[in-house]
Amino acid sequence: MSYTESIGSRTYRFADLKTVLAKASPQRSGDQLAGIAAASEEERVAAKMALAQVPLRTFLNDPLIPYETDEVTRLIIDDHSPQAFAEISHLTVGDFRNWLLSTATDTDALTRVTQGLTPEMVAAVSKLMRNQDLIAAVRKRPVVTRFRNTVGLPGHMSVRLQPNHPTDDVKGIAASMLDGLMYGCGDAMIGINPASDNLAAITKLLLMIDDFRQRYQVPTQSCVLTHVTSTIAAIEKGAPVDLVFQSIAGTEKANASFGISLALLQEAYEAGLSLKRGTVGSNLMYFETGQGSALSAGAHFGVDQQTCEARAYAVARRFKPFLVNTVVGFIGPEYLYDGKQITRAGLEDHFCGKLLGVPMGCDICYTNHAEADQDDMDNLLTLLGVAGINFIMGVPGADDVMLNYQSTSFHDALYVRDVLGLRRAPEFEEWLESMQIIDERGALIGASARQPLLEGARDWMGIA
């Protein structure tokens, strides 16, 4: 089905639904690279006008990628709930925007329709929204998950402590981990990107974190971000695996480029569940995503990068994850050129994921060759804090020495918690207070009070 919209004396014709979606997207370098972006701002406005009139039902009847050839499309269609959709089934995309922003639409209403929404619907409506609209709507949709602590409660924001090391040196990682804990970070998880996929090295890191966690009774969870097949192998060898990690994308072909399928993810999910390591819940999958991944794999099928990204959240939703992380600026300026595009993408991803019931966090980041700087990250950090992000990254000095990109620091987490009054996961905050790292208000206390823990941990690590 084609779409037509006129502006003044000029008429724009769009060949199909995916063309309308691509042309309606805010400007970004990835869509320009793919040759699917609007040629002018006027064409972008025309596409938005046409998109606003599309009935939500159309996304069920006109899949962007054929049902027969893509298992992600099959997942989206087969998991759709007509009962949950009934409340909004009469709406167009434009009407849906108005419904989301209405003061009458509350958390209960958004929760009721979650299983009736498809990624394409939420991606479409996001294209009609300003940044403030994305924030105002999604603040009403918390997504709470549990493993050893509780993440995503309203008024809370957690931090993934990311103590990476370029050679996987255990003492170096342990020192960064301890540094982050002293700043009250680590309630989302302690997650290491390993320099090597060697099973012995991965197991060594898992054992180190688990030993520390048990020694000091830390109510958090660990993860080594290796390929899911390596994690399955580690589980089979008896390694202390908490969260199971995998990068995912929004098409079957893009996921195949990562060496995964829905069946393999199901195997990993069941392997993780079999360990029964959660204490307050059983959400245990950790997924990372990012706009541009399908395009970089030559697997986008003419679909714009933000809609492909939203489709990845349908994959995540299937496995009831503990955390989902859009690594928003990591893929580079070929896909998100500058700070403005990174900021917009981060807000879109959080909005789309939360509406689909996914526990979204964000690695607020950029590569050194992007047209962005730490001020841009401060802006996005603040906006996402207001929007109710589940978690952010805590990287020593905000500079990851293994992955060579810029993210957010332990101090950045202190800033956003302070100015917005955000608390840590309640179980973790109680532990921090018992260890005299924070006071009852959640603020860091003096270094002298923390000295016994610090000295004991140094002895455990075998470092001066």
Side-chain angles (χ1 to χ4, degrees), residues 10 27 31 53 70 123 131 143 166 180 200 214-215 224 258 275 321 339 352 354 367 371 388 414 448 451 459:
R10 193 186 302 273
Q27 184 179 23
D31 291 338
Q53 300 172 55
D70 187 273
N131 288 358
V143 178
Q214 293 193 60
R215 179 181 295 259
V224 174
F258 290 146
L275 299 178
C352 290
K354 284 286 186 67
T367 57
E371 291 296 320
L414 291 177
S448 60
Q451 198 63 28
D459 289 343

Side-chain angles (χ1 to χ4, degrees), residues 233-458:
I235 291 172
E236 291 172 344
K237 293 288 187 181
V241 173
D242 288 343
L243 304 186
V244 177
F245 164 78
Q246 183 54 50
S247 294
I248 57 173
T251 71
E252 180 178 350
K253 185 178 178 182
N255 282 326
S257 75
F258 290 146
I260 61 167
S261 65
L262 295 180
L264 180 58
L265 292 177
Q266 183 67 34
E267 180 185 349
Y269 177 51
E270 292 173 1
L273 286 174
S274 72
L275 299 178
K276 296 182 172 62
R277 290 176 61 83
T279 55
V280 299
S282 58
N283 303 112
L284 56 80
M285 299 300 284
Y286 173 58
F287 294 118
E288 288 194 343
T289 68
Q291 288 195 28
S293 58
L295 174 58
S296 67
H300 63 105
F301 302 99
V303 178
D304 68 274
Q305 67 180 36
Q306 189 245 335
T307 302
C308 282
E309 171 73 2
R311 284 169 56 95
Y313 305 149
V315 175
R317 181 168 66 175
R318 163 61 73 88
F319 302 101
K320 301 178 178 64
F322 183 63
L323 308 168
V324 176
N325 179 27
T326 169
V327 193
V328 66
F330 185 75
I331 200 165
E334 299 85 357
Y335 306 93
L336 295 169
Y337 179 71
D338 57 15
K340 180 173 182 173
Q341 292 187 16
I342 292 170
T343 297
R344 174 69 189 192
L347 294 173
E348 289 171 348
D349 294 350
H350 179 242
F351 169 86
C352 290
K354 284 286 186 67
L355 285 193
L356 291 169
V358 172
M360 291 302 298
C362 184
D363 190 341
I364 301 162
C365 63
Y366 62 101
T367 57
N368 290 315
H369 62 310
E371 291 296 320
D373 58 28
Q374 215 63 36
D375 285 338
D376 296 310
M377 300 305 102
D378 287 349
N379 294 341
L380 180 54
L381 171 63
T382 306
L383 292 171
L384 286 172
V386 173
I389 195 77
N390 277 30
F391 71 99
I392 63 168
M393 301 297 109
V395 177
D399 184 359
D400 193 297
V401 295
M402 197 280 282
L403 294 174
N404 294 310
Y405 78 116
Q406 309 303 311
S407 185
T408 47
S409 71
F410 307 142
H411 296 83
D412 294 331
L414 291 177
Y415 147 74
V416 75
R417 282 173 170 154
D418 180 51
V419 298
L420 297 178
L422 300 172
R423 304 302 292 250
R424 301 165 181 87
E427 301 90 344
F428 190 78
E429 191 153 278
E430 183 179 344
W431 176 79
L432 289 172
E433 191 173 345
S434 73
M435 300 300 290
Q436 295 185 287
I437 296 173
I438 63 170
D439 62 22
E440 68 280 357
R441 298 172 296 115
L444 293 180
I445 61 176
S448 60
R450 291 176 277 160
Q451 198 63 28
L453 171 62
L454 189 58
E455 291 300 328
R458 283 174 174 167

